[in-house]
Amino acid sequence: MDWFKPYEKDLADVFAECGARIANFPPPLNQIGLQYMQKFDVFQQGSAKNYICYLLPFWMKDLTILPSSVYHSLSTANIFGMLYFFIQDDIMDTLPDHYTPGMWKNQLALANLLHAEFISIYLQFFPAETPFWTYYRTYIQEWSEGVIYESQHDYFQHDPIQIAKKAAPVKLGSTAALLLADRHDLVPVATDLMNNVLLTLQMMDDWADWEQDLSDGSYNCLLSLIKSEYNLPRSHTLSVEEVHRAVYLHEALGHYVSIASTTHLKLLSLNMDAPHVISFHETLVDELISEAGNIENGRKMLQHGGLNYYLSLLNKI
C-alpha cells in the first residue's frame, strides 16, 4: 500500500500553511524559521523526510471520520511540534566545548514561537480540561525520560520498546484524531502500535547514523547490540573497526534486522485497521532487510575470493 502518494497534495497544503504562519514571526526569526523548516520539508531535495510526523493524522482516516480540515490542522500542529523538539535535540547534541555565548539565542526564541503554534492549534480542538492534555503530559514525560535514561538504562538491551519514548510526542497525531472521532477505546492499542513503529524507526535511524553517534558518544541501538554480542561492558567505547567487523564479518546487522522483523509480527498481531501505518513499518523493515542482504552477499563474495569486495572492505576498516 502506498502510504505517501495519496496524501501528497494534502502535505503540500500543510507545509504551505506552516510556511505562512512562520513568515508572520518577527524578523529575523521568520527567515530563520523558514530556513529551518526547509530542512524537513518533504518537497525539498535533500531534506530529512520525517514522514510519520507529517502523515500520521492522515493515516488515522482508516479509523476515524473527521472533516478534512481537521486532519490538515493536526498535521500542521505535528510539524510545529517536530520542529520544536528537533531544536531541543540540536541543543542537547552540541558538545559542551562547542558552546559559545549566545549561540542558541535565535534558536531558543524560535523554538518557543514554534511551540506556541503547536499548542494553539491543539487548543482549538481540546479545551484545557479535556483528556487530550493528560496524554500530552504523558508523552512529554516519556520524551524527557527517553532523553535522559536511554543510555543510562541501555533501553535497547533491557526493554527495547522504551526506545520509542524519545519520539513519544509523535503519538499526539494519532491520539488526537481518535479522541476527536470519539474512539477513546482505540487509544491504548494505537499507542502500542505506534511504540513499535517508533522503535523500528529509531533502529533505522541508528543504522544510518551509527558513525556520527559513535563520534558524538550518543546512544545508538546498533552499537548497543554489538556491545552485547561481544560481551563488552556498557562503558566500553567501540572503535570504527570493531563495528565494521561486527557488521561486515559477524552478521550483527542480520541480528538487528531480526528484531525489526519480530516487531512487525507484533504489529500484525494487534489486528488494528491502520493499513498505512502497517505499510510504512513494512517499508522500514524491508529497507533494513535489503541492507543486510547486500552485506551478506558481499560476505559470500569475500568467502569465495571476491578480491574487489575484499579491497573495499579493507578501505572501510
Side-chain angles (χ1 to χ4, degrees), residues 272-305:
M272 190 172 192
D273 185 22
H276 290 94
V277 178
I278 300 295
S279 178
F280 174 72
H281 187 265
E282 186 174 23
T283 298
L284 298 177
V285 176
D286 286 347
E287 287 182 12
L288 279 173
I289 290 173
S290 177
E291 292 280 345
N294 290 338
I295 289 172
E296 177 61 21
N297 289 337
R299 186 183 296 111
K300 289 179 179 177
M301 288 177 61
L302 179 58
Q303 290 173 347
H304 290 88

Side-chain angles (χ1 to χ4, degrees), residues 16-212:
E17 170 70 14
C18 290
R21 286 174 176 255
I22 293 173
N24 286 325
F25 290 176
L29 300 180
N30 50 1
Q31 289 304 315
I32 295 172
L34 290 171
Q35 290 171 5
Y36 192 67
M37 186 186 75
Q38 286 183 347
K39 294 181 180 180
F40 306 96
D41 188 336
V42 71
F43 301 104
Q44 295 292 323
Q45 186 174 5
S47 64
K49 308 296 194 292
N50 203 337
Y51 291 110
I52 199 164
C53 284
Y54 324 140
L55 289 167
L56 184 56
F58 294 108
W59 291 344
M60 290 294 103
K61 284 186 176 183
D62 296 301
L63 294 163
T64 60
I65 300 175
L66 298 168
S68 295
S69 60
V70 174
Y71 298 110
H72 281 238
S73 293
L74 297 182
S75 178
T76 301
N78 263 21
I79 289 175
F80 281 117
M82 173 196 72
L83 296 175
Y84 168 75
F85 284 105
F86 278 172
I87 290 176
Q88 311 307 303
D89 289 344
D90 290 344
I91 294 172
M92 288 185 287
D93 289 344
T94 300
L95 297 175
D97 56 351
H98 290 175
Y99 280 108
T100 58
M103 69 176 293
W104 289 110
K105 182 177 180 179
N106 286 338
Q107 288 84 349
L108 286 170
L110 173 63
N112 280 279
L113 292 176
L114 294 168
H115 190 260
E117 293 290 333
F118 171 63
I119 294 296
S120 67
I121 293 172
Y122 277 120
L123 279 172
Q124 295 174 22
F125 300 103
F126 302 103
E129 69 276 5
T130 56
F132 171 83
W133 297 104
T134 300
Y135 288 110
Y136 171 81
R137 286 189 292 272
T138 297
Y139 300 154
I140 297 301
Q141 181 172 323
E142 288 179 357
W143 171 79
S144 301
E145 291 174 352
V147 166
I148 297 298
Y149 297 131
E150 67 170 357
S151 179
Q152 180 180 334
H153 294 169
D154 198 1
Y155 280 157
F156 194 66
Q157 286 307 308
H158 301 292
D159 192 4
I161 202 67
Q162 300 297 319
I163 291 293
K165 283 184 172 182
K166 278 210 316 184
V170 170
K171 294 181 287 189
L172 290 169
S174 54
T175 297
L178 292 172
L179 293 178
L180 289 172
D182 199 24
R183 296 305 310 269
H184 300 64
D185 57 307
L186 292 179
V187 172
V189 67
T191 298
D192 196 4
L193 181 82
M194 288 306 303
N195 284 341
N196 281 282
V197 173
L198 293 173
L199 165 60
T200 301
L201 187 58
Q202 188 61 57
M203 290 176 63
M204 188 74 183
D205 287 347
D206 285 359
W207 160 242
D209 298 338
W210 71 261
E211 288 188 84
Q212 185 64 52

